[in-house]
Amino acid sequence: MNGFTILRSVQHYVGKIRTMRNEIRTRRFMNGLPQSIRKDIGWPDNYEGRHGRGN
């Protein structure tokens, strides 16, 4: 393994962590909205269908 490969692996890992943190932050924000607004925008039903784990 050369330095470039290691750097690429670390960048990929950091990207995954960043994505997971952003998803958690989004869920927390959306769940903090009033129920009527969440219902109007289809939260979480529409989101879960498009962004399920493993996709």
Side-chain angles (χ1 to χ4, degrees), residues 8-24 53-55:
R8 227 172 140 186
S9 296
V10 170
Q11 287 174 333
H12 179 74
Y13 177 74
V14 170
K16 283 186 162 264
I17 297 295
R18 184 175 294 133
T19 299
M20 289 172 57
R21 288 184 60 170
N22 287 338
E23 287 180 2
I24 291 167
R53 285 278 174 204
N55 287 346

Side-chain angles (χ1 to χ4, degrees), residues 6-47:
I6 294 170
L7 178 62
R8 227 172 140 186
S9 296
V10 170
Q11 287 174 333
H12 179 74
Y13 177 74
V14 170
K16 283 186 162 264
I17 297 295
R18 184 175 294 133
T19 299
M20 289 172 57
R21 288 184 60 170
N22 287 338
E23 287 180 2
I24 291 167
R25 191 176 298 126
T26 299
R27 288 176 186 268
R28 194 176 299 143
F29 173 78
M30 296 298 284
N31 287 332
L33 293 173
Q35 177 66 29
S36 60
I37 293 175
R38 285 186 280 159
K39 182 181 175 193
D40 287 344
I41 61 176
W43 180 262
D45 298 333
N46 289 339
Y47 183 82

